[in-house]
Amino acid sequence: MRIAAIDIGSNAARLLINEVKVNNKEPEFIKLNLLRIPLRLGMDVFTIGKIGEERKKMVIDSMKIFSDLMKIYHVEHYRACATSAMRDAENGQAIITEVKNTSGIDIEIISGDEEATLIYENHVAEGLDKEFAYLYIDVGGGSTELTFYENGTMIYEKSFNIGTIRLLNDLVTPDNWKDMKEEIRKNINSKKPIVAIGSGGNINKIFSMSKIKDGKPMSLTHLKKVHKELNNLTLDERMTKYNLREDRADVLVHALKIFNNVMSWSEINRVFVPKISVADGLIHNIYNQLQDKK
Protein backbone atom coordinates (compact mmCIF):
# COMPACT_ATOMS: atom_id res chain seq x y z
CA MET A 1 0.00 0.00 0.00
CA ARG A 2 1.29 3.46 -0.91
CA ILE A 3 0.30 6.47 1.20
CA ALA A 4 1.21 10.14 0.78
CA ALA A 5 1.10 13.08 3.15
CA ILE A 6 1.20 16.75 2.22
CA ASP A 7 2.05 19.21 4.99
CA ILE A 8 1.71 22.89 4.03
CA GLY A 9 3.41 24.83 6.80
CA SER A 10 4.23 28.50 7.30
CA ASN A 11 7.81 27.96 6.14
CA ALA A 12 7.65 25.08 3.67
CA ALA A 13 5.41 22.51 2.00
CA ARG A 14 6.37 18.84 2.12
CA LEU A 15 5.22 15.79 0.21
CA LEU A 16 6.09 12.47 1.86
CA ILE A 17 5.38 9.20 0.05
CA ASN A 18 5.60 5.92 1.98
CA GLU A 19 5.09 2.30 1.14
CA VAL A 20 3.51 0.35 3.99
CA LYS A 21 4.40 -3.33 4.29
CA VAL A 22 2.93 -5.53 7.00
CA ASN A 23 5.24 -8.10 8.60
CA ASN A 24 3.87 -10.27 11.43
CA LYS A 25 0.90 -7.88 11.72
CA GLU A 26 3.28 -4.96 12.32
CA PRO A 27 3.33 -2.21 9.67
CA GLU A 28 6.68 -1.09 8.30
CA PHE A 29 6.75 2.42 6.80
CA ILE A 30 9.28 2.72 3.99
CA LYS A 31 10.05 6.20 2.69
CA LEU A 32 9.95 6.34 -1.13
CA ASN A 33 10.28 10.10 -1.58
CA LEU A 34 10.30 13.35 0.36
CA LEU A 35 10.07 16.68 -1.44
CA ARG A 36 10.31 20.01 0.38
CA ILE A 37 9.47 23.36 -1.24
CA PRO A 38 10.21 26.55 0.77
CA LEU A 39 6.97 28.44 0.07
CA ARG A 40 7.37 30.71 3.14
CA LEU A 41 3.67 31.55 3.26
CA GLY A 42 4.09 33.06 6.71
CA MET A 43 6.21 35.87 5.24
CA ASP A 44 3.05 37.18 3.56
CA VAL A 45 0.33 36.10 5.95
CA PHE A 46 1.88 37.28 9.21
CA THR A 47 2.66 40.73 7.75
CA ILE A 48 -0.18 41.56 5.29
CA GLY A 49 -2.83 39.05 6.42
CA LYS A 50 -3.07 37.15 3.14
CA ILE A 51 -1.00 35.10 0.68
CA GLY A 52 0.36 37.40 -2.06
CA GLU A 53 0.12 36.67 -5.79
CA GLU A 54 3.67 35.31 -6.15
CA ARG A 55 3.36 32.83 -3.28
CA LYS A 56 -0.20 31.94 -4.32
CA LYS A 57 1.18 30.87 -7.73
CA MET A 58 3.93 28.90 -5.94
CA VAL A 59 1.30 27.03 -3.87
CA ILE A 60 -0.77 26.16 -6.97
CA ASP A 61 2.29 25.10 -9.00
CA SER A 62 3.70 23.05 -6.09
CA MET A 63 0.42 21.16 -5.64
CA LYS A 64 0.38 20.31 -9.37
CA ILE A 65 3.87 18.82 -8.97
CA PHE A 66 2.82 16.94 -5.82
CA SER A 67 -0.26 15.60 -7.65
CA ASP A 68 1.85 14.40 -10.59
CA LEU A 69 4.36 12.71 -8.26
CA MET A 70 1.57 10.89 -6.42
CA LYS A 71 0.30 9.57 -9.77
CA ILE A 72 3.80 8.46 -10.80
CA TYR A 73 4.21 6.58 -7.50
CA HIS A 74 0.69 5.07 -7.73
CA VAL A 75 -0.34 6.52 -4.37
CA GLU A 76 -3.59 4.95 -3.17
CA HIS A 77 -4.40 7.19 -0.21
CA TYR A 78 -3.31 10.69 0.77
CA ARG A 79 -4.12 13.54 3.11
CA ALA A 80 -3.13 17.19 2.61
CA CYS A 81 -3.11 19.51 5.62
CA ALA A 82 -2.30 23.20 5.99
CA THR A 83 -1.37 24.79 9.29
CA SER A 84 -0.82 28.22 10.83
CA ALA A 85 -0.25 30.47 7.75
CA MET A 86 -3.11 29.09 5.66
CA ARG A 87 -5.28 29.14 8.77
CA ASP A 88 -4.64 32.88 9.27
CA ALA A 89 -4.73 33.93 5.58
CA GLU A 90 -7.88 35.82 4.58
CA ASN A 91 -7.62 34.28 1.09
CA GLY A 92 -6.71 30.78 2.34
CA GLN A 93 -10.07 29.23 1.45
CA ALA A 94 -10.04 30.73 -2.06
CA ILE A 95 -6.56 29.29 -2.70
CA ILE A 96 -7.68 25.88 -1.43
CA THR A 97 -10.55 25.96 -3.95
CA GLU A 98 -8.19 26.92 -6.77
CA VAL A 99 -5.78 24.12 -5.81
CA LYS A 100 -8.68 21.63 -5.93
CA ASN A 101 -9.67 22.88 -9.40
CA THR A 102 -6.13 22.86 -10.84
CA SER A 103 -4.53 19.78 -9.26
CA GLY A 104 -7.39 17.80 -7.72
CA ILE A 105 -5.75 17.97 -4.28
CA ASP A 106 -8.10 18.51 -1.33
CA ILE A 107 -6.39 20.61 1.34
CA GLU A 108 -7.83 20.71 4.85
CA ILE A 109 -6.89 23.41 7.33
CA ILE A 110 -6.12 21.91 10.73
CA SER A 111 -5.94 23.57 14.15
CA GLY A 112 -2.79 23.81 16.24
CA ASP A 113 -4.17 21.14 18.58
CA GLU A 114 -4.77 18.76 15.66
CA GLU A 115 -1.21 19.44 14.52
CA ALA A 116 0.09 18.47 17.97
CA THR A 117 -2.01 15.29 17.91
CA LEU A 118 -0.57 14.32 14.50
CA ILE A 119 2.94 14.39 15.97
CA TYR A 120 1.70 11.85 18.54
CA GLU A 121 0.51 9.59 15.69
CA ASN A 122 4.20 8.70 15.27
CA HIS A 123 3.79 6.55 18.40
CA VAL A 124 7.16 7.62 19.79
CA ALA A 125 5.70 7.79 23.31
CA GLU A 126 4.80 4.10 23.24
CA GLY A 127 8.45 3.07 23.06
CA LEU A 128 9.61 5.43 25.78
CA ASP A 129 10.76 4.69 29.30
CA LYS A 130 7.83 5.13 31.72
CA GLU A 131 10.29 6.38 34.35
CA PHE A 132 10.12 9.77 32.65
CA ALA A 133 7.46 12.28 31.62
CA TYR A 134 7.76 13.68 28.09
CA LEU A 135 7.15 17.05 26.49
CA TYR A 136 6.81 17.03 22.71
CA ILE A 137 7.96 20.39 21.27
CA ASP A 138 7.07 20.94 17.62
CA VAL A 139 8.38 24.26 16.33
CA GLY A 140 7.01 25.54 13.03
CA GLY A 141 7.08 28.81 11.13
CA GLY A 142 3.78 30.06 12.51
CA SER A 143 3.26 28.21 15.77
CA THR A 144 4.76 25.97 18.43
CA GLU A 145 2.83 22.90 19.59
CA LEU A 146 3.44 21.52 23.06
CA THR A 147 2.11 18.11 24.11
CA PHE A 148 2.84 16.68 27.56
CA TYR A 149 2.72 12.96 28.39
CA GLU A 150 3.00 11.05 31.64
CA ASN A 151 2.65 7.25 31.99
CA GLY A 152 1.93 7.06 28.25
CA THR A 153 -1.11 9.34 28.60
CA MET A 154 -1.55 12.82 27.16
CA ILE A 155 -1.92 15.26 30.06
CA TYR A 156 -1.83 18.59 28.24
CA GLU A 157 -1.61 20.03 24.73
CA LYS A 158 -1.55 23.60 23.49
CA SER A 159 -0.65 25.54 20.37
CA PHE A 160 1.07 28.93 20.69
CA ASN A 161 1.29 31.55 17.94
CA ILE A 162 5.04 31.72 18.39
CA GLY A 163 6.92 30.43 15.35
CA THR A 164 10.16 31.08 13.49
CA ILE A 165 8.63 33.13 10.65
CA ARG A 166 6.66 35.24 13.14
CA LEU A 167 9.88 35.87 15.10
CA LEU A 168 11.79 36.65 11.90
CA ASN A 169 9.23 39.39 11.21
CA ASP A 170 9.21 40.72 14.82
CA LEU A 171 5.59 39.67 15.31
CA VAL A 172 5.95 37.96 18.69
CA THR A 173 5.29 40.30 21.62
CA PRO A 174 6.62 40.11 25.20
CA ASP A 175 3.03 39.24 26.22
CA ASN A 176 3.09 36.22 23.86
CA TRP A 177 6.23 34.95 25.60
CA LYS A 178 4.74 35.74 29.03
CA ASP A 179 1.59 33.73 28.23
CA MET A 180 3.67 30.77 27.07
CA LYS A 181 5.86 30.90 30.17
CA GLU A 182 2.83 31.01 32.50
CA GLU A 183 1.14 28.10 30.66
CA ILE A 184 4.30 26.00 30.89
CA ARG A 185 4.90 26.77 34.56
CA LYS A 186 1.28 25.89 35.38
CA ASN A 187 0.87 22.74 33.28
CA ILE A 188 4.24 21.07 32.64
CA ASN A 189 4.90 19.48 36.04
CA SER A 190 5.69 15.96 37.14
CA LYS A 191 7.19 14.05 40.03
CA LYS A 192 9.16 12.18 37.37
CA PRO A 193 12.05 13.81 35.52
CA ILE A 194 10.82 15.41 32.28
CA VAL A 195 12.53 14.86 28.92
CA ALA A 196 11.81 16.80 25.72
CA ILE A 197 11.15 15.31 22.29
CA GLY A 198 11.82 17.82 19.53
CA SER A 199 10.34 17.89 16.04
CA GLY A 200 10.43 20.22 13.06
CA GLY A 201 12.99 20.88 10.36
CA ASN A 202 15.08 23.22 12.50
CA ILE A 203 15.72 20.93 15.44
CA ASN A 204 16.50 18.12 12.98
CA LYS A 205 19.10 20.36 11.32
CA ILE A 206 20.58 21.36 14.70
CA PHE A 207 20.79 17.68 15.67
CA SER A 208 22.56 16.73 12.42
CA MET A 209 25.00 19.65 12.90
CA SER A 210 25.75 18.41 16.45
CA LYS A 211 27.19 15.07 15.23
CA ILE A 212 25.51 13.39 18.22
CA LYS A 213 24.63 9.75 17.59
CA ASP A 214 21.04 8.87 16.67
CA GLY A 215 19.02 8.02 19.76
CA LYS A 216 21.19 10.17 22.05
CA PRO A 217 19.83 13.47 23.44
CA MET A 218 21.11 17.01 23.01
CA SER A 219 21.56 19.03 26.19
CA LEU A 220 20.01 22.43 26.85
CA THR A 221 23.56 23.68 27.43
CA HIS A 222 24.48 22.61 23.88
CA LEU A 223 21.41 24.36 22.41
CA LYS A 224 22.26 27.57 24.25
CA LYS A 225 25.86 27.38 22.98
CA VAL A 226 24.73 26.89 19.35
CA HIS A 227 22.22 29.73 19.71
CA LYS A 228 24.97 32.08 20.92
CA GLU A 229 27.31 31.03 18.09
CA LEU A 230 24.68 31.50 15.35
CA ASN A 231 23.39 34.74 16.84
CA ASN A 232 26.86 36.26 16.59
CA LEU A 233 27.13 35.47 12.85
CA THR A 234 25.62 37.29 9.89
CA LEU A 235 23.21 35.38 7.64
CA ASP A 236 25.96 34.87 5.02
CA GLU A 237 28.43 33.69 7.66
CA ARG A 238 25.90 31.12 8.96
CA MET A 239 25.28 29.85 5.43
CA THR A 240 29.01 29.51 4.70
CA LYS A 241 30.20 28.12 8.04
CA TYR A 242 27.43 25.55 8.47
CA ASN A 243 26.57 24.92 4.81
CA LEU A 244 22.98 26.09 5.30
CA ARG A 245 20.36 27.16 2.77
CA GLU A 246 19.22 30.76 3.26
CA ASP A 247 15.68 29.67 4.19
CA ARG A 248 17.16 27.57 7.00
CA ALA A 249 19.92 29.92 8.14
CA ASP A 250 17.55 32.82 8.84
CA VAL A 251 15.10 30.85 11.05
CA LEU A 252 17.48 28.53 12.91
CA VAL A 253 18.33 31.14 15.59
CA HIS A 254 14.64 31.75 16.24
CA ALA A 255 13.89 28.02 16.53
CA LEU A 256 16.70 27.71 19.08
CA LYS A 257 15.28 30.61 21.08
CA ILE A 258 11.90 28.83 21.26
CA PHE A 259 13.44 25.50 22.31
CA ASN A 260 15.70 27.18 24.88
CA ASN A 261 12.81 29.10 26.44
CA VAL A 262 10.41 26.15 26.53
CA MET A 263 13.02 23.81 28.02
CA SER A 264 14.24 26.36 30.57
CA TRP A 265 10.70 27.22 31.72
CA SER A 266 9.77 23.54 32.06
CA GLU A 267 13.13 22.73 33.74
CA ILE A 268 14.10 20.21 31.06
CA ASN A 269 17.80 19.76 30.37
CA ARG A 270 17.83 17.36 27.40
CA VAL A 271 15.94 16.81 24.17
CA PHE A 272 15.68 13.72 21.98
CA VAL A 273 15.25 14.30 18.25
CA PRO A 274 13.67 11.27 16.57
CA LYS A 275 13.06 11.72 12.85
CA ILE A 276 9.37 12.57 13.13
CA SER A 277 7.24 15.26 11.53
CA VAL A 278 3.65 16.29 10.87
CA ALA A 279 3.96 14.51 7.49
CA ASP A 280 5.03 11.27 9.22
CA GLY A 281 2.11 11.66 11.63
CA LEU A 282 -0.27 12.10 8.70
CA ILE A 283 0.97 8.86 7.12
CA HIS A 284 0.37 6.98 10.39
CA ASN A 285 -3.02 8.67 10.79
CA ILE A 286 -4.16 7.57 7.31
CA TYR A 287 -2.95 4.01 7.91
CA ASN A 288 -4.66 3.81 11.33
CA GLN A 289 -7.96 5.09 9.92
CA LEU A 290 -7.82 2.53 7.10
CA GLN A 291 -7.25 -0.24 9.65
CA ASP A 292 -10.16 1.00 11.78
CA LYS A 293 -12.50 0.71 8.78
CA LYS A 294 -11.65 -2.96 8.27
Side-chain angles (χ1 to χ4, degrees):
M1 182 196 302
R2 291 189 174 184
I3 300 174
I6 296 171
D7 167 27
I8 304 163
S10 304
N11 197 33
R14 292 174 181 81
L15 167 68
L16 174 64
I17 301 174
N18 273 17
E19 180 148 19
V20 186
K21 290 187 174 176
V22 180
N23 299 313
N24 300 322
K25 295 186 179 178
E26 285 299 311
E28 182 187 1
F29 295 87
I30 302 156
K31 183 166 79 176
L32 300 180
N33 205 335
L34 173 64
L35 179 60
R36 177 188 182 274
I37 300 176
L39 299 176
R40 314 215 95 180
L41 302 182
M43 288 292 205
D44 287 352
V45 178
F46 306 144
T47 52
I48 61 171
K50 64 179 184 177
I51 296 166
E53 283 303 312
E54 186 183 342
R55 285 196 166 90
K56 173 183 162 183
K57 186 177 184 303
M58 285 172 70
V59 172
I60 290 161
D61 290 346
S62 299
M63 293 308 112
K64 286 178 188 170
I65 291 165
F66 285 4
S67 178
D68 287 343
L69 270 171
M70 288 196 294
K71 285 173 195 158
I72 290 164
Y73 276 93
H74 303 291
V75 167
E76 296 156 69
H77 306 278
Y78 83 94
R79 195 175 165 199
C81 292
T83 55
S84 187
M86 196 73 86
R87 204 160 55 225
D88 291 359
E90 62 185 50
N91 59 343
Q93 209 54 57
I95 291 172
I96 285 170
T97 302
E98 197 164 339
V99 165
K100 172 68 175 169
N101 293 338
T102 53
S103 67
I105 288 176
D106 273 307
I107 298 172
E108 56 185 295
I109 295 176
I110 61 170
S111 69
D113 288 345
E114 286 175 280
E115 202 176 338
T117 303
L118 281 170
I119 293 292
Y120 183 55
E121 293 275 359
N122 289 282
H123 299 294
V124 172
E126 289 173 13
L128 298 174
D129 190 333
K130 298 290 188 283
E131 297 298 308
F132 297 92
Y134 295 90
L135 179 65
Y136 280 63
I137 309 169
D138 181 52
V139 173
S143 60
T144 293
E145 273 64 52
L146 300 183
T147 319
F148 184 50
Y149 295 91
E150 195 171 24
N151 301 319
T153 305
M154 186 198 297
I155 305 293
Y156 169 84
E157 70 172 340
K158 189 163 177 67
S159 178
F160 298 87
N161 275 345
I162 296 176
T164 57
I165 298 287
R166 289 190 202 268
L167 282 165
L168 190 61
N169 288 287
D170 286 325
L171 297 169
V172 177
T173 67
D175 278 346
N176 293 142
W177 285 117
K178 184 168 172 274
D179 290 346
M180 183 189 243
K181 183 178 182 177
E182 286 174 359
E183 278 285 319
I184 288 171
R185 291 267 201 245
K186 188 171 77 177
N187 295 289
I188 312 300
N189 300 293
S190 176
K191 288 177 181 174
K192 298 179 178 183
I194 306 172
V195 173
I197 297 171
S199 64
N202 289 299
I203 197 71
N204 280 315
K205 173 53 74 176
I206 294 157
F207 185 75
S208 68
M209 283 163 55
S210 75
K211 303 289 189 281
I212 292 168
K213 286 182 182 175
D214 280 352
K216 298 288 182 187
M218 285 190 292
S219 67
L220 177 58
T221 307
H222 173 75
L223 295 187
K224 285 180 174 175
K225 179 168 164 269
V226 176
H227 179 259
K228 189 176 177 184
E229 280 175 15
L230 290 173
N231 213 21
N232 288 333
L233 300 174
T234 65
L235 184 62
D236 285 342
E237 285 169 343
R238 283 178 216 156
M239 289 166 68
T240 305
K241 185 172 180 180
Y242 295 102
N243 193 25
L244 298 168
R245 298 186 312 270
E246 184 176 352
D247 67 286
R248 183 63 73 202
D250 60 358
V251 290
L252 213 49
V253 170
H254 300 297
L256 278 161
K257 182 175 182 177
I258 296 170
F259 272 99
N260 290 345
N261 282 345
V262 170
M263 289 174 68
S264 296
W265 294 334
S266 46
E267 298 180 4
I268 296 172
N269 57 28
R270 56 198 183 119
V271 57
F272 287 89
V273 188
K275 289 184 171 65
I276 57 169
S277 67
V278 170
D280 291 297
L282 277 169
I283 295 271
H284 286 260
N285 173 266
I286 295 163
Y287 179 78
N288 292 339
Q289 287 193 347
L290 289 169
Q291 296 310 109
D292 290 345
K293 284 177 185 174
K294 284 185 177 179

